[in-house]
Amino acid sequence: MIRCPECSAEIDVDEDEVEEGEILSCPECESELEVSQTHPVHLNVISEDGDDDDDEDDDDDEVGEESDNGDLIDEDDEEEEEEDEE
C-alpha cells in the first residue's frame, strides 16, 4: 500500500504490476501520478499548471513600452507614430 503524495490517500498498487513511467490516478484527489520507481513504488505528482507558467512568461516578453500617457504600445505602433510625425 502506498500513499498519494498530494493528499496522502492510500492507493492499492502491486509493485509487480506497475512499470516506471506509468501514469496512475488518485481515487481521492484525482491527481495524475507518475510511477518513478517500482521497488518500492514511488509516485510523483504530474503538475498540469507547470505548462501554464511557461506560457505566461512568453506573454510578458511581448509587452511593449509605455507611451507618454501611460498606455502600452508595441514596437510596430511606435514606428508608425514616428512616420506620422515626419
Side-chain angles (χ1 to χ4, degrees), residues 5-66:
E6 189 73 17
C7 70
S8 300
E10 290 184 354
I11 302 174
D12 186 21
V13 176
D14 186 355
E15 290 180 355
D16 297 327
E17 293 182 7
V18 293
E19 296 178 7
E20 280 188 38
E22 187 173 339
I23 306 298
L24 305 175
S25 181
C26 174
E28 292 293 320
C29 68
E30 298 180 3
S31 293
E32 288 189 335
L33 309 169
E34 180 179 14
V35 178
S36 60
Q37 182 178 320
T38 55
H39 294 285
V41 174
H42 187 269
L43 303 174
N44 290 329
V45 177
I46 299 173
S47 61
E48 294 177 11
D49 58 339
D51 294 337
D52 294 342
D53 292 343
D54 293 343
D55 293 342
E56 289 174 12
D57 292 343
D58 293 343
D59 292 343
D60 293 343
D61 295 341
E62 297 173 7
V63 173
E65 298 177 14
E66 283 189 21

Side-chain angles (χ1 to χ4, degrees), residues 67-68 73-86:
S67 67
D68 294 335
I73 56 173
D74 55 82
E75 293 172 12
D76 294 334
D77 290 341
E78 190 174 312
E79 289 173 8
E80 289 175 12
E81 288 177 12
E82 289 174 5
E83 290 174 7
D84 292 342
E85 292 174 3
E86 293 176 5

